[in-house]
Amino acid sequence: MNCELEKPRHVVRKFHSRPQHEGVGAVVRRSIGRFELRYFDPFLVLDEFSVAAPAGFPDHPHRGFETVTYMLEGAVMHEDFQGHKGLIKAGDLQWMTAGRGIVHSEMPADQGVSKGLQLWVNLSSKNKMIEPKYQEIQSKDIASTSKNGVTVRVIAGESMGIQSPVYTCTPTMYLDFTLKPSSHLQQPIPSSWNAFVYILEGEGIFGLEKSGPVGAHHVLLLGQGDGLEVVNRSSKMLRFVLIGGEPLGEPVAQLGPFVMNTDEEIDQTVDDFQYFVNGFEKARHWRSEAMLD
Ligand code: FJE
Ligand code: FE
């Protein structure tokens, strides 16, 4: 063991995420953000998405939060109304702070099916109207280390002695773990944070040993404590992400891709978007190349 936890967190809620349709012909398994789990402060959405041309997520706006796209297979072409454009390939990360406003398209750019995770992290009232910003990291540059059968890729925060360069407006940890059969893990998590696990592959025992194994496409909300204990008692690889963040403790007013604190701010946002003001100026004439094809 790399450390000893004093009070390991237990799983307090568990959901299986079934495929549903989103965007235009795309399929997502939504864990956070589904009806039974509207909000897990500061997290608004976690989607495991699968998309193949001609399906995708064509031109749409965001305000008041961040989208974090982590590709698992294939690639997504991203294009926004400021002329920011690029390919997000398998293993790559795009941490997009929409702030006061982004309009963009996210379309598959590979033969076959492109897959990934998209997380929506809420911004505090003081950060909702900041300038949009991107942090983009290629797969080869994502901090990673292995020890005793456990591999971690550090998307945000710190694990096993290594740190991500990503700046998180809302304090956030995002760790991609792979555990070989018979390996186990102890990962500290700040006690005041909300944290959850989403399983990508294989099965593992999370929290209490007697709780039994949980498999792919499940989301596990963790209760109070100072960290997470996981063991892989199966004969296959276990891969999951551990995501945690400091709760904002603020009211949430949401209308689709706009997330503010009050209904008045949502009304203002709808007006801003409709009249191309307060950060949406460039939306007036912009269409993605994907839409012009
Ligand atoms: C969106 C419906 C949507 N999950 N995962 C409504 F589908 C979207 C949206 C996405 C999305 C995009 C990617 Cl690349 C991956 C996603 C939802 O774009 F923003 C709204 N409002
Ligand atoms: Fe988007």
Side-chain angles (χ1 to χ4, degrees), residues 22-23 28 30 47 49 57 60 62 69 76 106 118 120 256-257:
E22 278 294 347
V28 307
R30 181 158 296 171
D47 280 349
F49 63 90
F57 304 92
H60 61 277
H62 294 284
T69 306
V76 157
E106 299 154 290
Q118 189 170 89
W120 292 13

Side-chain angles (χ1 to χ4, degrees), residues 62-119:
H62 294 284
R63 175 183 277 181
F65 62 100
E66 304 181 290
T67 67
V68 180
T69 306
Y70 181 44
M71 290 305 296
L72 301 171
E73 284 174 34
V76 157
M77 176 57 84
H78 172 266
E79 242 186 284
D80 85 0
F81 70 162
Q82 320 239 28
H84 185 98
K85 184 173 172 177
L87 205 54
I88 316 169
K89 300 200 287 290
D92 294 354
L93 172 72
Q94 182 197 62
W95 197 292
M96 183 188 89
T97 306
R100 66 206 298 255
I102 284 281
V103 181
H104 70 173
S105 81
E106 299 154 290
M107 302 298 285
D110 204 57
Q111 308 285 336
V113 184
S114 293
K115 295 186 181 188
L117 295 175
Q118 189 170 89
L119 177 71

